[in-house]
Amino acid sequence: MKTIKLGKTGVTIPILGQGTWGIKSFRSKSYYKKWKESIKKGIELGITHIDTAEMYGRGTSEQILGHVISEYDRDDLFITTKLFPMHLRYKTMKKAAYKSLKRLGIKEIDLYLIHWPSPFNSIKTQMRVLEDLVNEGKVRYIGVSNFSVKQFKEAQFYLKNTELVSNQLHVSVARQKHIGKSLSFYQKEGIIMTAYSPLGHNGFRNLKGELRNKLEMVAKTHNATIQQIAIAWLVNHENVITIPKAFKIKHMIANAEAANIRLSDKEIKLFYEDGRELERIKIVSA
Ligand SMILES: NC(=O)c1ccc[n+]([C@@H]2O[C@H](COP(=O)([O-])OP(=O)(O)OC[C@H]3O[C@@H](n4cnc5c(N)ncnc54)[C@H](OP(=O)(O)O)[C@@H]3O)[C@@H](O)[C@H]2O)c1
């Protein structure tokens, strides 16, 4: 699995991570067993970065993931989770972090993100929570999710001793707003853009029209599926990683393969919605 530098931390992480949104609460043992098997297959294939959040299945995702983590050497995995900023005060936000650590059964979260910008709590307080967690040794690296560049810069402004390493954003070949508007900023600053819902949340099952035709055309050249091309397209951009969710093992395998597909500049540009805006974007060099 190819890796990428995590900001200025000196650490590298795989260009492909595993998403875990969609895990349901109160399901049968066999449901969770199947899900765990898929995660483990991903780990075996080098997809050792796993993304979760306190709100996924109201803690169930973190809890089940905790079972999987306990079977591995902790240092071999990179775990991202997210603070849902509905906990309004400094203390309640910190408590939420401790609960995530407990559910995951780990001493330190590798990457802790503010899940969404919150109108209810000052960004200054949220950054203080994150920075204090780093100082306490509960969190290694911090970032945000669903922040605009303006919000990202404001958040960074309030940090004293640490830096945001990633912004997790809704980005796919079918949803390019952040590629056009903010990727050049993250590339310049050496910050990771983590693309979530890279397959449109439903595996591009109902994708139609010009985009599907283009994906099919490129997929044929690479003897791949349209989903693999959609994943490859993202990670063929500098500073972009992606975290598709795959409950099915066959999807996990296909996704791991997709990370190795090298698209030509022409193939990458074929999908751009606005050529002018995207001229500044750097793609991974051969
Ligand atoms: N920060 C945020 O606000 C935020 C928001 C949304 C998502 N996320 C994160 O991003 C992750 C991914 O996004 P997502 O779950 O919305 O959706 P997604 O990854 O875009 O799509 C998941 C769907 O694609 C299918 N799939 C996966 N690989 C495939 C393949 N190779 N071929 C065909 N179908 C394939 C999956 O099927 P099976 O499951 O049946 O295998 C599932 O139905 C989430 O799980 C979560 O960790 C973050």
Side-chain angles (χ1 to χ4, degrees):
M1 179 61 55
K2 286 181 195 156
T3 57
I4 186 170
K5 280 187 195 151
L6 182 70
K8 295 161 196 144
T9 63
V11 163
T12 56
I13 59 170
I15 56 170
L16 200 70
Q18 303 192 33
T20 63
W21 184 32
I23 183 86
K24 312 264 188 317
S25 311
F26 309 116
R27 287 296 180 101
S28 65
K29 271 191 185 160
S30 63
Y31 171 85
Y32 295 120
K33 187 169 173 267
K34 207 175 150 211
W35 188 62
K36 284 185 204 170
E37 276 164 10
S38 182
I39 297 180
K40 288 198 229 172
K41 185 69 190 177
I43 294 171
E44 195 188 298
L45 294 167
I47 318 177
T48 51
H49 171 199
I50 308 169
D51 176 81
T52 183
E54 59 168 311
M55 68 166 288
Y56 295 170
R58 294 192 192 151
T60 308
S61 167
E62 287 182 332
Q63 207 177 3
I64 300 293
L65 185 54
H67 298 170
V68 175
I69 296 169
S70 68
E71 294 179 35
Y72 289 85
D73 184 339
R74 177 68 186 89
D75 293 342
D76 291 343
L77 303 178
F78 188 91
I79 307 298
T80 294
T81 192
K82 313 184 199 81
L83 173 75
F84 198 65
M86 64 185 172
H87 316 283
L88 294 181
R89 292 192 306 274
Y90 175 87
K91 272 191 183 166
T92 47
M93 286 170 75
K94 267 188 116 173
K95 239 186 217 171
Y98 299 148
K99 283 187 182 167
S100 283
L101 279 165
K102 196 167 175 205
R103 282 190 293 264
L104 287 161
I106 55 178
K107 291 200 174 82
E108 195 179 33
I109 295 163
D110 293 305
L111 177 59
Y112 200 37
L113 310 178
I114 299 292
H115 205 147
W116 285 89
S118 164
F120 305 115
N121 204 342
S122 83
I123 190 66
K124 189 176 173 183
T125 306
Q126 292 175 55
M127 290 304 114
R128 192 154 72 87
V129 171
L130 292 190
E131 199 149 55
D132 286 356
L133 287 164
V134 172
N135 293 335
E136 280 173 34
K138 304 286 185 203
V139 166
R140 282 172 82 196
Y141 307 115
I142 58 172
V144 292
S145 178
N146 297 300
F147 276 44
S148 66
V149 169
K150 189 166 170 255
Q151 289 166 326
F152 185 95
K153 285 181 182 168
E154 195 190 347
Q156 184 60 57
F157 174 79
Y158 288 114
L159 291 169
K160 293 192 181 87
N161 308 313
T162 183
E163 290 186 6
L164 298 170
V165 296
S166 176
N167 191 0
Q168 189 177 119
L169 295 163
H170 193 173
V171 181
S172 73
V173 69
R175 195 181 162 108
Q176 298 184 21
K177 186 179 102 183
H178 295 296
I179 297 262
K181 290 235 179 309
S182 53
L183 182 56
S184 59
F185 166 78
Y186 296 114
Q187 290 183 334
K188 203 163 128 250
E189 299 297 318
I191 292 153
I192 300 276
M193 177 188 270
T194 304
Y196 74 69
S197 300
L199 302 175
H201 189 58
N202 69 357
F204 282 153
R205 270 200 302 271
N206 309 316
L207 193 68
K208 290 191 177 72
E210 198 188 335
L211 177 56
R212 187 175 188 102
N213 295 341
K214 284 182 186 172
L215 283 167
E216 277 175 356
M217 190 176 85
V218 178
K220 211 171 166 189
T221 316
H222 291 268
N223 195 18
T225 64
I226 62 163
Q227 289 82 5
Q228 286 178 310
I229 298 302
I231 287 169
W233 184 80
L234 286 166
V235 296
N236 271 255
H237 287 88
E238 274 189 19
N239 288 70
V240 178
I241 67 166
T242 188
I243 48 171
K245 171 251 176 187
F247 195 84
K248 296 192 186 76
I249 285 187
K250 69 170 182 182
H251 288 160
M252 192 64 80
I253 296 169
N255 296 347
E257 285 167 4
N260 290 324
I261 298 175
R262 174 74 179 98
L263 300 176
S264 68
D265 291 7
K266 202 173 153 201
E267 285 170 328
I268 293 165
K269 288 178 182 163
L270 177 71
F271 294 102
Y272 284 162
E273 285 160 358
D274 182 342
R276 274 173 304 132
E277 285 233 44
L278 294 158
E279 264 166 25
R280 292 161 294 136
I281 300 298
K282 286 189 238 159
I283 47 194
V284 174
S285 36

